[in-house]
Amino acid sequence: MKNQLRIIGGEWKRRILPFASIEGLRPTPDRVRETLFNWLMWDIQNSKVLDLCSGSGALAFEALSRGAAEVIMIEPDVTQSGFLKQNIQLLKTNKCQLYVTTAQKALQKINQQFDLVFLDPPYGLNLWQELAESVDTKIVANGFIYVEADRELSELKLPASWKKIKETKAGIVKAGLYQKMP
């Protein structure tokens, strides 16, 4: 039996998408996703989105469903990237690009600016600071960054120009929405 996630809102509301059964792969919980996209309700339309550690694709597909103009997904696991490709085809979207590599390598190739970045790396890899520093120059002024972790957000050593504007938690998941100050 494959794992599944459900899109919560927008054009593909209630669509069920499969993802691989891989240790450490955990979609952002529904309640946290719902909160995040309520926060972003007025900002997601026509935005350019970068999902640094796509995993199940829950955040990227939710953003597309709710009107993002373009989403770049990054997923190094070949098995899971196969599921992401299938789901992109299933949803018949041409607004999504997938890099099958690490976030570090993809960031060296991507030369564009984003309105919204999802920073939700596998918890065990402790990549928050490294990825935050690497992606910082690719975020527009006043752009948003969603950060998800299994520890207090204040421990993550994020760039000083990122101002936390909202936060929530569900179980071990701590999540925050930041805005990049000009």
Side-chain angles (χ1 to χ4, degrees):
M1 177 67 191
K2 291 186 285 225
N3 294 321
Q4 298 180 323
L5 67 93
R6 180 178 56 91
I7 295 176
I8 297 168
E11 180 186 351
W12 302 319
K13 186 176 182 172
R14 296 189 192 93
R15 288 293 292 270
I16 304 290
L17 300 175
F19 63 92
S21 193
I22 298 169
E23 189 176 337
L25 179 61
R26 35 134 204 91
T28 297
D30 284 10
R31 198 177 66 130
V32 175
R33 246 186 308 145
E34 189 161 6
T35 299
L36 168 63
F37 285 95
N38 284 341
W39 293 341
L40 293 169
M41 188 184 314
W42 309 111
D43 300 293
I44 196 76
Q45 288 292 320
N46 301 314
S47 61
K48 291 187 180 194
V49 180
L50 176 62
D51 190 355
L52 283 170
C53 302
S54 291
S56 69
L59 295 173
F61 291 127
E62 195 75 47
L64 284 167
S65 182
R66 293 172 185 249
E70 171 187 351
V71 175
I72 291 181
M73 301 169 83
I74 303 169
E75 175 54 48
D77 186 278
V78 176
T79 303
Q80 178 51 29
S81 62
F83 278 89
L84 294 173
K85 285 176 191 166
Q86 278 181 315
N87 290 334
I88 291 166
Q89 290 170 345
L90 182 74
L91 296 170
K92 298 178 174 72
T93 182
N94 60 356
K95 297 177 180 179
C96 192
Q97 202 178 342
L98 174 63
Y99 284 75
V100 183
T101 185
T102 64
Q104 296 90 325
K105 287 180 183 167
L107 284 169
Q108 293 171 1
K109 296 175 188 159
I110 295 170
N111 291 317
Q112 66 188 88
Q113 296 287 112
F114 297 92
D115 305 300
L116 172 61
V117 171
F118 298 130
L119 177 56
D120 175 20
Y123 297 161
L125 298 181
N126 196 17
L127 292 171
W128 294 277
Q129 184 179 358
E130 177 186 346
L131 293 179
E133 289 170 2
S134 298
V135 79
D136 189 51
T137 59
K138 298 177 189 313
I139 304 167
V140 300
N142 297 311
F144 294 99
I145 308 98
Y146 168 76
V147 179
E148 186 179 308
D150 63 346
R151 59 200 77 176
E152 292 303 321
L153 299 174
S154 58
E155 296 173 22
L156 300 180
K157 297 185 179 101
L158 300 172
S161 61
W162 295 12
K163 181 179 167 219
K164 187 174 13 157
I165 53 175
K166 306 259 188 189
E167 69 181 302
T168 189
K169 63 183 180 188
I172 66 156
V173 175
K174 316 264 189 307
L177 186 64
Y178 293 76
Q179 191 163 27
K180 182 173 175 172
M181 296 294 106

